[in-house]
Amino acid sequence: LVYSFDISNLGTIHSSVIDKVGVLKPEQKLALESKIADLRKKYTVEILTVIVPSMNGEDISSAATEIGHKIGV
């Protein structure tokens, strides 16, 4: 598959919240990470929030699939 959304711009994923635009304040990011951690424990789900300036024309589901492949879910 070829994607127009370049996930290499995300770098190494160490967090459940990636804000490449800087729209979240640090306390908002921490609160969102905490909520995601609670959901993971309660429902055994994988959630990753990615905020980017542009999808470069890529649809969200294709980009989500690509990211999921990158992180192994």
Side-chain angles (χ1 to χ4, degrees):
L1 293 173
V2 177
Y3 299 98
S4 61
F5 175 73
D6 185 6
I7 65 167
S8 65
N9 292 333
L10 297 179
T12 303
I13 298 172
H14 295 291
S15 171
S16 59
V17 180
I18 300 169
D19 181 4
K20 291 301 211 179
V21 182
V23 297
L24 298 175
K25 296 177 183 175
E27 62 270 14
Q28 291 173 312
K29 182 179 177 187
L30 286 173
L32 187 52
E33 287 172 335
S34 176
K35 288 178 184 180
I36 291 171
D38 290 344
L39 289 169
R40 275 193 185 128
K41 289 176 188 172
K42 187 173 183 179
Y43 298 106
T44 60
V45 296
E46 292 294 329
I47 299 172
L48 177 65
T49 301
V50 180
I51 303 170
V52 294
S54 173
M55 294 296 295
N56 297 326
E58 186 72 54
D59 68 278
I60 291 172
S61 63
S62 294
T65 299
E66 182 182 8
I67 293 167
H69 286 259
K70 178 181 180 178
I71 63 173
V73 295

